[in-house]
Amino acid sequence: MNTPNTSPSPEVTRTYRRLIPNTWWLKQRSTILFMIREWSSVFVALYAICLLGQLWALSEGPERYNALLAKSLSGGSLLLHLVMGAFVLYHMVTWFKISGRIFGSGPLSPGAVTAVNYVVWIAASIGVFYWIF
Amino acid sequence: MCLIKFIKSLEPLWWSLFGLGGAIAAFLFPAHILIQGVLIPAGILPKDMLQYENFAGLLSSPIVRIYFLALIVFPLYHAAHRIRMTLEDLRIGWLNAILPLLCYGGATTISIAAVVVILRLS
Amino acid sequence: MAEQIKLTIWRYNPDTGDEYKPQTFIIPYQKDWSILDALNHIKAEVDGSLSYRWSCRMAICGSCGMMVNGTPRLTCSTYLNEFYPNEITLEPLANFPIIKDLVVDLTDFMDKLRSVKPWIIRENKKDEEDTSNEYLQTPAQMESYYQQSLCINCTLCYAACPAYGLHSDFLGPAAIALTYRYNNDSRDQGRGDRRKVVAAENGVWKCPVVGDCTEVCPKHVDPSAAIQRTKVNSAVSWFFSFLKGGKGE
């Protein structure tokens, strides 16, 4: 009873298997959005590396740090941060939605959990602003 | 191959790091990017909060140093896990077999660099 | 002339070689017909060689699932009037091998379903045989698993799941939803038995959270949430077993 069959029944041997093209994710809206969500993580990593670069420059002393600061005030850096920001925001929206579906059950609906996430996010953002800066 | 097998046996660990990093990136990255990367360069906020003296002063606190370390390390593992899973689903040939090693290895290497930098700041 | 509707059906005949190709049927349009009614019309009046599975006609047996314009649906509860005057394309459920026409081989799913022991397990085996025992359950206890117990094994979620299509060893949505259903039943004691299957490399960890399994479920089971909750539980018990000196699971 506990050992599963591992092969199809003998009469079913000439089955036809459809191949899945590598572009499988382009066929549906849900999988395209899924891919965008997954690749948002590249920008998450990129920003983590930006933060590391900033701390490294700081550890090198004022000269190196000020050179990096001057660069970070440029238009190019602003554009890069806008792009990273857009992907990070998409990550955030999808993350909060999924967390609602995982933890929302019983009296606490998925929507309520997602709403709590946003409240915590706003509080954390204000916290970063006042505490860190 | 033995190493890859071992890495794959730690699936709950990678998933937990992914989850922690995803939460940190979702809750904290938008504010950091907005303040440091957008509002200050755009001149909406004064840039003195990022001046060397002020920023070094901020990082002189061990709690802030640990905060920044967490801000770097966990999101790196988050990205490593997602990139690994997604590339596996895109089936990019021979690379697939060593993806766990490449992705988690990469995140670990940069994390070690982050620890070194944080220690130099102490 | 009476209204007509065009159905394109992808067919495969194992006896005439490996061709898998579409065939178009133009049939009378009846606005109260389900797609299954249209297939029954084709089989009775147009082409008796067409093969497909069906039984109950009321979305409870779970045997008439097909890809309807690319989305897995139960054809007994999907009506022509949702598409008319546009045409409808029918394919056998995605991700499964095709036996003939719209009939797919579900052996793999059945094996996986069996592997998670979707029945109530008691530590004391005598409990399972003793029919005189009553196991009372509060409404709240029942509520905790009820939604996941509505699964009819129609496998639409497997057809919607890209991870199952790409990694055929993935345990898949319905099997994990049913694991969740039994693990969260207050009468069940089999969580440990099932853990080595659901928390394995090919268990919950293979799910990339696309969420289409939940979208296509005709019974409003939520496999996606069940899988993510199982990930949380599995990760927690992995860390605990690690702390206890075990090698994790």
Coordinates of all heavy atoms in Angstrom, one line a residue, chain C residues 28-80:
Chain C
P28 N -23.7 23.0 -34.3 CA -24.8 24.0 -34.0 C -24.4 24.6 -32.6 O -24.0 23.9 -31.7 CB -26.0 23.1 -33.9 CG -25.7 21.8 -34.6 CD -24.2 21.7 -34.5
Y29 N -24.7 25.9 -32.5 CA -24.5 26.6 -31.2 C -25.8 26.6 -30.4 O -26.8 27.0 -30.9 CB -24.0 28.0 -31.5 CG -24.1 28.9 -30.2 CD1 -23.2 28.6 -29.2 CD2 -25.0 29.9 -30.1 CE1 -23.2 29.4 -28.1 CE2 -25.0 30.7 -28.9 CZ -24.1 30.4 -27.9 OH -24.2 31.1 -26.8
Q30 N -25.7 26.0 -29.2 CA -26.8 26.0 -28.3 C -26.3 26.8 -27.1 O -25.4 26.4 -26.4 CB -27.2 24.6 -27.9 CG -27.5 23.7 -29.0 CD -28.9 23.8 -29.5 OE1 -29.7 24.6 -29.0 NE2 -29.2 23.2 -30.7
K31 N -27.0 27.9 -26.7 CA -26.4 28.7 -25.7 C -26.4 28.1 -24.3 O -25.7 28.5 -23.4 CB -27.1 30.1 -25.7 CG -28.6 30.1 -25.1 CD -29.0 31.6 -25.1 CE -30.4 31.7 -24.4 NZ -31.5 30.9 -24.9
D32 N -27.2 27.0 -24.1 CA -27.2 26.4 -22.8 C -26.4 25.1 -22.8 O -26.4 24.4 -21.8 CB -28.7 26.1 -22.3 CG -29.4 25.2 -23.3 OD1 -28.9 25.1 -24.5 OD2 -30.5 24.8 -23.0
W33 N -25.5 24.9 -23.8 CA -24.6 23.8 -23.8 C -23.3 24.1 -23.1 O -22.7 25.1 -23.3 CB -24.3 23.4 -25.3 CG -25.2 22.4 -25.9 CD1 -26.4 21.9 -25.3 CD2 -25.1 21.8 -27.2 NE1 -27.0 21.0 -26.2 CE2 -26.2 20.9 -27.3 CE3 -24.1 21.9 -28.2 CZ2 -26.4 20.2 -28.5 CZ3 -24.3 21.1 -29.3 CH2 -25.4 20.2 -29.5
S34 N -22.9 23.1 -22.3 CA -21.5 23.2 -21.8 C -20.6 22.7 -22.9 O -21.1 22.1 -23.9 CB -21.4 22.3 -20.5 OG -21.6 21.0 -20.9
I35 N -19.3 22.8 -22.7 CA -18.4 22.3 -23.7 C -18.5 20.8 -23.7 O -18.4 20.2 -24.8 CB -16.9 22.8 -23.4 CG1 -16.8 24.3 -23.6 CG2 -15.9 22.0 -24.2 CD1 -15.5 24.9 -23.2
L36 N -18.7 20.2 -22.6 CA -18.9 18.7 -22.5 C -20.1 18.3 -23.4 O -20.1 17.3 -24.1 CB -19.1 18.2 -21.1 CG -19.2 16.7 -20.9 CD1 -18.0 16.0 -21.4 CD2 -19.5 16.4 -19.4
D37 N -21.2 19.1 -23.3 CA -22.4 18.8 -24.2 C -22.0 18.8 -25.7 O -22.4 18.0 -26.4 CB -23.5 19.8 -23.9 CG -24.1 19.6 -22.6 OD1 -24.2 18.5 -22.1 OD2 -24.5 20.7 -22.0
A38 N -21.1 19.8 -26.0 CA -20.7 19.9 -27.4 C -19.9 18.7 -27.8 O -20.0 18.2 -28.9 CB -19.9 21.2 -27.6
L39 N -19.0 18.2 -26.9 CA -18.2 17.1 -27.2 C -19.1 15.8 -27.3 O -18.8 15.0 -28.2 CB -17.1 16.8 -26.1 CG -16.0 17.8 -26.0 CD1 -15.2 17.6 -24.7 CD2 -15.1 17.7 -27.2
N40 N -20.1 15.7 -26.5 CA -21.0 14.6 -26.6 C -21.7 14.6 -27.9 O -22.0 13.6 -28.6 CB -22.0 14.6 -25.4 CG -21.3 14.1 -24.1 OD1 -20.3 13.4 -24.2 ND2 -21.9 14.5 -23.0
H41 N -22.1 15.8 -28.4 CA -22.7 16.0 -29.7 C -21.8 15.5 -30.8 O -22.2 14.8 -31.7 CB -23.1 17.5 -29.9 CG -23.6 17.8 -31.3 ND1 -24.9 17.5 -31.7 CD2 -22.9 18.2 -32.4 CE1 -25.0 17.8 -33.0 NE2 -23.8 18.3 -33.4
I42 N -20.5 16.0 -30.7 CA -19.5 15.6 -31.8 C -19.4 14.0 -31.8 O -19.4 13.4 -32.8 CB -18.2 16.2 -31.5 CG1 -18.3 17.7 -31.8 CG2 -17.1 15.6 -32.5 CD1 -17.1 18.5 -31.4
K43 N -19.3 13.4 -30.6 CA -19.1 12.0 -30.5 C -20.3 11.2 -31.1 O -20.1 10.2 -31.8 CB -18.7 11.5 -29.1 CG -18.3 10.1 -29.0 CD -17.6 9.8 -27.7 CE -17.2 8.3 -27.6 NZ -16.0 8.0 -28.4
A44 N -21.5 11.7 -30.8 CA -22.7 11.0 -31.2 C -23.0 11.3 -32.6 O -23.5 10.4 -33.3 CB -23.9 11.4 -30.3
E45 N -22.8 12.5 -33.1 CA -23.3 12.9 -34.5 C -22.2 13.0 -35.5 O -22.5 12.9 -36.7 CB -24.1 14.2 -34.4 CG -25.1 14.2 -33.3 CD -26.3 13.4 -33.6 OE1 -26.6 13.1 -34.8 OE2 -27.0 13.0 -32.7
V46 N -21.0 13.4 -35.1 CA -20.0 13.8 -36.1 C -18.8 12.8 -36.2 O -18.5 12.2 -37.3 CB -19.4 15.2 -35.8 CG1 -18.5 15.6 -37.0 CG2 -20.5 16.2 -35.6
D47 N -18.2 12.5 -35.1 CA -17.0 11.6 -35.1 C -16.9 10.8 -33.9 O -16.5 11.2 -32.8 CB -15.7 12.5 -35.2 CG -14.5 11.7 -35.4 OD1 -14.5 10.5 -35.1 OD2 -13.4 12.3 -35.8
G48 N -17.3 9.5 -34.0 CA -17.4 8.6 -32.9 C -16.1 8.2 -32.3 O -16.0 7.6 -31.2
S49 N -15.0 8.6 -33.0 CA -13.7 8.1 -32.5 C -13.0 9.1 -31.5 O -12.0 8.8 -31.0 CB -12.7 8.0 -33.7 OG -12.3 9.3 -34.2
L50 N -13.7 10.2 -31.3 CA -13.2 11.2 -30.3 C -13.2 10.6 -28.9 O -14.2 10.2 -28.5 CB -14.0 12.5 -30.4 CG -13.5 13.7 -29.5 CD1 -12.2 14.2 -30.1 CD2 -14.5 14.8 -29.5
S51 N -12.0 10.7 -28.2 CA -12.0 10.2 -26.9 C -11.8 11.3 -25.9 O -11.0 12.2 -26.1 CB -10.8 9.2 -26.7 OG -10.9 8.2 -27.7
Y52 N -12.5 11.2 -24.8 CA -12.4 12.2 -23.7 C -13.0 11.5 -22.4 O -13.8 10.6 -22.5 CB -13.1 13.5 -24.0 CG -14.5 13.4 -24.5 CD1 -15.6 13.5 -23.6 CD2 -14.8 13.0 -25.8 CE1 -16.9 13.4 -24.1 CE2 -16.1 12.8 -26.2 CZ -17.1 13.0 -25.4 OH -18.4 12.8 -25.8
R53 N -12.7 12.1 -21.2 CA -13.2 11.5 -20.0 C -14.3 12.4 -19.5 O -14.3 13.6 -19.5 CB -12.2 11.4 -18.9 CG -11.1 10.3 -19.1 CD -10.4 10.1 -17.8 NE -9.4 9.1 -17.9 CZ -8.1 9.4 -18.0 NH1 -7.7 10.6 -17.9 NH2 -7.2 8.4 -18.1
W54 N -15.4 11.8 -19.0 CA -16.4 12.5 -18.3 C -17.2 11.6 -17.5 O -17.2 10.4 -17.7 CB -17.3 13.3 -19.2 CG -18.1 12.5 -20.2 CD1 -17.7 11.8 -21.3 CD2 -19.5 12.2 -20.1 NE1 -18.7 11.1 -21.9 CE2 -19.9 11.4 -21.1 CE3 -20.5 12.6 -19.2 CZ2 -21.2 10.9 -21.4 CZ3 -21.8 12.2 -19.4 CH2 -22.1 11.3 -20.5
S55 N -18.0 12.1 -16.5 CA -18.9 11.2 -15.8 C -20.1 12.0 -15.2 O -21.2 11.9 -15.7 CB -18.1 10.5 -14.6 OG -19.0 9.8 -13.9
C56 N -19.8 12.9 -14.2 CA -21.0 13.4 -13.4 C -21.8 14.5 -14.0 O -22.9 14.8 -13.7 CB -20.5 13.7 -12.0 SG -19.7 15.3 -11.9
R57 N -21.1 15.3 -14.9 CA -21.7 16.5 -15.5 C -22.1 17.6 -14.5 O -22.8 18.5 -14.7 CB -23.0 16.2 -16.3 CG -22.7 15.3 -17.5 CD -24.0 14.8 -18.0 NE -24.6 13.8 -17.1 CZ -25.7 13.9 -16.5 NH1 -26.5 15.0 -16.7 NH2 -26.2 13.0 -15.6
M58 N -21.5 17.5 -13.2 CA -21.9 18.5 -12.2 C -20.7 18.9 -11.4 O -20.8 19.2 -10.2 CB -23.1 18.1 -11.4 CG -22.9 16.7 -10.8 SD -24.5 16.0 -10.3 CE -24.7 16.8 -8.8
A59 N -19.5 18.9 -12.0 CA -18.3 19.5 -11.3 C -18.0 18.8 -10.0 O -17.6 19.5 -9.0 CB -18.4 21.0 -11.2
I60 N -18.2 17.5 -9.9 CA -17.9 16.9 -8.6 C -17.0 15.6 -8.8 O -16.2 15.3 -8.0 CB -19.1 16.5 -7.8 CG1 -18.8 16.2 -6.4 CG2 -19.9 15.3 -8.4 CD1 -18.2 17.3 -5.6
C61 N -17.0 15.0 -10.0 CA -16.2 13.8 -10.3 C -14.8 14.2 -10.7 O -13.8 13.5 -10.5 CB -16.8 12.9 -11.3 SG -16.6 13.5 -13.0
G62 N -14.6 15.4 -11.3 CA -13.3 15.9 -11.6 C -12.6 15.2 -12.8 O -11.4 15.2 -12.9
S63 N -13.4 14.6 -13.7 CA -12.8 13.8 -14.8 C -12.7 14.5 -16.1 O -12.1 14.1 -17.0 CB -13.4 12.4 -14.9 OG -14.8 12.5 -14.9
C64 N -13.5 15.6 -16.3 CA -13.6 16.2 -17.6 C -12.7 17.5 -17.8 O -13.0 18.3 -18.6 CB -15.1 16.6 -17.9 SG -15.7 17.9 -16.9
G65 N -11.6 17.6 -17.0 CA -10.7 18.7 -17.2 C -10.0 18.7 -18.5 O -9.5 17.7 -18.9
M66 N -9.9 19.9 -19.1 CA -9.2 20.1 -20.4 C -8.6 21.5 -20.5 O -9.1 22.3 -19.7 CB -10.1 19.9 -21.6 CG -10.6 18.5 -21.8 SD -12.0 18.4 -22.9 CE -12.8 16.9 -22.3
M67 N -7.7 21.7 -21.4 CA -7.3 23.1 -21.6 C -8.3 23.7 -22.5 O -8.5 23.3 -23.7 CB -5.9 23.1 -22.3 CG -4.8 22.3 -21.5 SD -4.5 22.9 -19.9 CE -3.7 24.4 -20.1
V68 N -9.0 24.7 -22.0 CA -10.0 25.5 -22.8 C -9.3 26.8 -23.2 O -9.1 27.6 -22.3 CB -11.3 25.7 -22.1 CG1 -12.3 26.4 -22.9 CG2 -11.8 24.3 -21.6
N69 N -9.0 27.0 -24.4 CA -8.3 28.2 -24.9 C -7.1 28.5 -24.0 O -6.8 29.6 -23.6 CB -9.2 29.4 -24.9 CG -10.2 29.4 -26.0 OD1 -10.1 28.5 -26.9 ND2 -11.2 30.3 -26.0
G70 N -6.4 27.4 -23.7 CA -5.1 27.5 -22.9 C -5.2 27.5 -21.4 O -4.2 27.5 -20.8
T71 N -6.4 27.5 -20.9 CA -6.6 27.5 -19.4 C -7.2 26.2 -19.0 O -8.2 25.8 -19.6 CB -7.5 28.7 -19.0 OG1 -6.9 29.9 -19.5 CG2 -7.6 28.8 -17.5
P72 N -6.7 25.6 -18.0 CA -7.4 24.3 -17.5 C -8.7 24.6 -16.9 O -8.9 25.4 -16.0 CB -6.4 23.7 -16.5 CG -5.4 24.8 -16.2 CD -5.5 25.9 -17.2
R73 N -9.8 23.9 -17.4 CA -11.2 24.1 -16.9 C -11.9 22.8 -16.9 O -11.5 21.8 -17.6 CB -12.0 25.0 -17.8 CG -11.3 26.3 -18.3 CD -11.6 27.4 -17.3 NE -13.0 27.8 -17.1 CZ -13.6 28.8 -17.8 NH1 -12.9 29.6 -18.6 NH2 -14.9 29.1 -17.5
L74 N -12.9 22.7 -16.0 CA -13.8 21.5 -16.1 C -14.8 21.8 -17.2 O -15.5 22.8 -17.2 CB -14.6 21.3 -14.8 CG -13.7 20.9 -13.6 CD1 -14.6 20.7 -12.4 CD2 -13.0 19.6 -13.9
T75 N -14.9 21.0 -18.2 CA -15.7 21.3 -19.4 C -17.2 21.1 -19.1 O -18.0 21.6 -19.9 CB -15.3 20.4 -20.6 OG1 -15.2 19.1 -20.2 CG2 -14.0 20.9 -21.2
C76 N -17.5 20.4 -18.1 CA -19.0 20.3 -17.7 C -19.5 21.5 -17.2 O -20.7 21.8 -17.2 CB -19.2 19.1 -16.8 SG -18.6 19.4 -15.1
S77 N -18.7 22.4 -16.6 CA -19.2 23.6 -16.1 C -18.6 24.9 -16.8 O -18.6 26.0 -16.2 CB -18.9 23.7 -14.6 OG -17.6 23.4 -14.3
T78 N -18.2 24.7 -18.0 CA -17.7 25.8 -18.8 C -18.7 25.8 -20.0 O -18.8 24.8 -20.7 CB -16.3 25.6 -19.3 OG1 -15.5 25.4 -18.1 CG2 -15.8 26.8 -20.0
Y79 N -19.3 26.9 -20.3 CA -20.4 27.0 -21.3 C -20.0 27.6 -22.5 O -19.1 28.5 -22.6 CB -21.6 27.6 -20.7 CG -22.3 26.7 -19.6 CD1 -21.8 26.7 -18.3 CD2 -23.3 25.8 -20.0 CE1 -22.3 25.9 -17.4 CE2 -23.8 25.0 -19.0 CZ -23.3 25.0 -17.8 OH -23.9 24.1 -16.8
L80 N -20.6 27.2 -23.6 CA -20.3 27.8 -25.0 C -20.5 29.3 -25.0 O -19.8 30.0 -25.6 CB -21.1 27.1 -26.0 CG -20.9 25.6 -26.3 CD1 -21.8 25.1 -27.4 CD2 -19.5 25.2 -26.5

